[in-house]
Amino acid sequence: MKGKLKPYAWVPSLYLGEALPFSAVMLISVIMFQELGLTDGQITVYTGWLGLPWVIKPIWSPIVDNLKTKRWWIVTMQFLMGISLALVAFTLPTSFWLQGTLAVFMVIAFASATHDISADGFYIIGLADKDQELYVGVRNTFYRIGMVIGQGGLVLLAGYMQRGVFGSALQSVTASWVAVFVILGMLLFLLGVYHAFILPKVEHAVHDRFHFREQLREFGMTLKVFVTKPHIISALCFILLFRLPEGLLTKIVPLFLKRSVAEGGLAMSDVDFGLIYGTLGVIGLLLGGIIGGWAVSRWGLKRCLWPLVMCITLPDIVYVYLSYYPTASLWIIGSCVCIEQIGYGLGFAAYTLYLVTFSRGERATAVFSICTAGQYLGGVMLPGMVSGLISDDIGYQNFFWLIMLLCLVTFAVTAFVKIEKDER
């Protein structure tokens, strides 16, 4: 075994540290901006740009590999994110809160993407091969726990603070979010302190030189391997467009759940939202991912692809139902959200395994990073940015019908993608 400490001393906390800032940038910011009065269009355009670092992170991943150590990058980024999250809190009460928070969120986004690169690399070099397989479930579980804490627990906490449940003076929306980001900043800073002492020192050499021309040549060679893959056109269409409906849906669903009934939403409080979407929804997503991965491992990707494609598309109809029959029943809303998230988890498992399969061969790791950047660009960032502009223009009901129509795009790219027959 590499390192003196048992992996359970640092693997769970490492992936908590990966999930918390991501949830802060990609979801908590959406809820906060909605409560501070921004329109859906403004929210999705502003927060959509925050996804840029995850799209372009393959460009600077060689820097992480060739300067300092991955351990150094992890600890440094956690300290930076902790300070930056606290800075969001101090920026909120100012007159330039929107510009200030967006600027700080972008810093957090770049730091979080850099942390992802170094954490995933450290997981590989810090564990023996058999331990990598053993702890992959722990890694994924604690990442999802981090998402539950961010999307569920902290949003729920903001709601309780706004109600004054704790007997606090934190009655205003702004004050409640100030408190949330102070807590988040403290958590990341403490994780940085913890990992500065706990992470094993498994890298023997500290790299201190970065050869730009060499790395540019390496990236060019990787790109050549990528574009010369068999069936590259159908693969590119699949990578970029498979998640289009979900990419449009992801940022709008939280806004739809929280908007007033007069605005076409369900008027959920932060407390109810945290319980339903931030907790039950994430659990449904995790459950779907586990079942999807098990199904593919048992029957193969080729046989499972179409059933899992149906799982990621057809359950979106639940939001059409909720937009026509708004309800205050948490049982009904929770059931709809859970059904859709389980379906998303099932379909996304197949999609991820396709990316892994497509990346196999020469320069597999680097090719996979390009694939993940492409799926984030086409399936998260660009659709997310325009989703609010569309929903503002046509309303939630028509927007959700549009999502169902765009599921035909997912069907089309699935029909043309080439997958080798599984030997099972």
Side-chain angles (χ1 to χ4, degrees), residues 41 49 69 120 141 143 155 158 171 225 230 232 300 304 311 313 318 320 322 339 344 355 367 383 419:
W49 276 109
T69 63
D120 291 342
T141 298
Y143 184 86
V155 174
Q171 298 291 329
V225 170
I232 184 61
C304 291
C311 289
T313 52
V318 299
V320 175
L322 288 174
I339 289 169
Y344 178 41
L355 298 186
V367 169
I419 297 176

Side-chain angles (χ1 to χ4, degrees), residues 251-262:
K251 283 191 180 292
I252 295 302
V253 168
L255 298 172
F256 164 68
L257 295 177
K258 288 190 52 56
R259 289 291 181 194
S260 68
V261 175

Side-chain angles (χ1 to χ4, degrees), residues 151-401:
Q151 295 181 199
L154 291 172
V155 174
L156 188 148
L157 179 62
Y160 273 120
M161 287 180 172
Q162 290 168 27
R163 291 181 180 182
V165 168
F166 299 139
S168 168
L170 294 173
Q171 298 291 329
S172 74
V173 170
T174 300
S176 67
W177 288 112
V178 166
V180 164
F181 279 97
V182 167
I183 292 170
L184 257 176
M186 291 174 61
L187 284 174
L188 262 295
F189 193 87
L190 290 174
L191 281 173
V193 173
Y194 177 76
H195 288 139
F197 291 97
I198 293 298
L199 285 182
K201 296 180 180 180
V202 294
E203 295 165 277
H204 301 296
V206 177
H207 307 295
D208 56 4
R209 287 181 292 180
F210 178 73
H211 302 286
F212 178 77
R213 288 185 180 179
E214 181 180 339
Q215 295 304 324
L216 189 62
R217 182 177 62 84
E218 287 290 316
F219 182 75
M221 292 175 66
T222 299
L223 198 59
K224 181 181 178 181
V225 170
F226 177 80
V227 300
T228 55
K229 286 271 188 180
H231 314 298
I232 184 61
I233 300 300
S234 61
L236 269 176
C237 291
F238 188 81
I239 291 168
L240 292 171
L241 298 175
F242 179 83
R243 293 181 64 195
L244 178 61
E246 284 295 329
L248 287 165
L249 196 66
T250 298
K251 283 191 180 292
I252 295 302
V253 168
L255 298 172
F256 164 68
L257 295 177
K258 288 190 52 56
R259 289 291 181 194
S260 68
V261 175
E263 295 173 301
L266 300 186
M268 291 184 72
S269 67
D270 281 350
V271 173
D272 292 339
F273 178 89
L275 287 171
I276 299 299
Y277 192 80
T279 303
L280 188 61
V282 175
I283 293 171
L285 182 63
L286 177 61
L287 182 63
I290 292 171
I291 296 172
W294 171 82
V296 173
S297 68
R298 181 172 176 81
W299 292 295
L301 180 59
K302 193 174 183 69
R303 291 177 62 186
C304 291
L305 184 60
W306 274 105
L308 295 180
V309 166
M310 296 300 173
C311 289
I312 200 174
T313 52
L314 300 185
D316 294 345
I317 195 72
V318 299
Y319 296 115
V320 175
Y321 167 78
L322 288 174
S323 67
Y324 278 91
Y325 303 101
T327 176
S329 170
L330 296 184
W331 286 105
I332 295 175
I333 298 172
S335 298
C336 288
V337 168
C338 196
I339 289 169
E340 187 268 329
Q341 288 291 285
I342 289 174
Y344 178 41
L346 286 163
F348 190 67
Y351 179 64
T352 302
L353 289 168
Y354 169 78
L355 298 186
V356 171
T357 302
F358 177 79
S359 302
R360 286 173 182 160
E362 186 181 358
R363 296 174 176 265
T365 302
V367 169
F368 184 74
S369 70
I370 294 176
C371 290
T372 55
Q375 67 94 3
Y376 202 92
L377 176 68
V380 179
M381 181 181 167
L382 295 181
M385 289 178 68
V386 301
S387 59
L389 299 173
I390 297 172
S391 68
D392 279 347
D393 188 51
I394 66 177
Y396 289 126
Q397 289 181 351
N398 291 330
F399 178 83
F400 293 134
W401 278 120

